[in-house]
């Protein structure tokens, strides 16, 4: 998902301690070479794609 900065919108959300711990772990293990913003965008896109596939009745695609 590539987007120019002029089309991007800033969002803010509150993360529970449990979610923060999971995000920290994902950052260390999977997204060590990405910014936190890139990580959040990738995780959000993957979650929404899985949700769409679940609604369509197809099995989720493996995540890289």
């Amino acid at each position: 998902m590539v987007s120019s900065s002029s089309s991007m919108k800033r969002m803010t959300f509150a993360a529970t301690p449990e979610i923060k711990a999971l995000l920290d772990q994902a950052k260390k293990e999977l997204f060590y070479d990405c910014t936190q913003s890139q990580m959040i965008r990738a995780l959000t896109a993957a979650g929404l794609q899985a949700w769409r596939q679940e609604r369509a009745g197809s099995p989720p695609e493996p995540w890289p």
Side-chain angles (χ1 to χ4, degrees), residues 3-64:
S3 202
S4 70
S5 61
S6 63
S7 67
M8 297 179 113
K9 303 297 179 197
R10 183 176 301 269
M11 296 181 72
T12 303
F13 67 96
T16 63
E18 294 82 12
I19 294 295
K20 178 72 170 105
L22 290 170
L23 290 172
D24 288 345
Q25 182 180 8
K27 178 74 171 133
K28 287 178 188 168
E29 295 180 19
L30 299 170
F31 295 96
Y32 50 86
D33 59 345
C34 297
T35 66
Q36 187 174 20
S37 291
Q38 291 170 321
M39 176 183 74
I40 297 296
R41 284 192 293 272
L43 290 171
T44 301
L48 290 171
Q49 180 65 27
W51 172 70
R52 273 192 226 120
Q53 289 176 342
E54 184 179 291
R55 286 187 59 192
S58 59
E61 295 176 14
W63 196 58

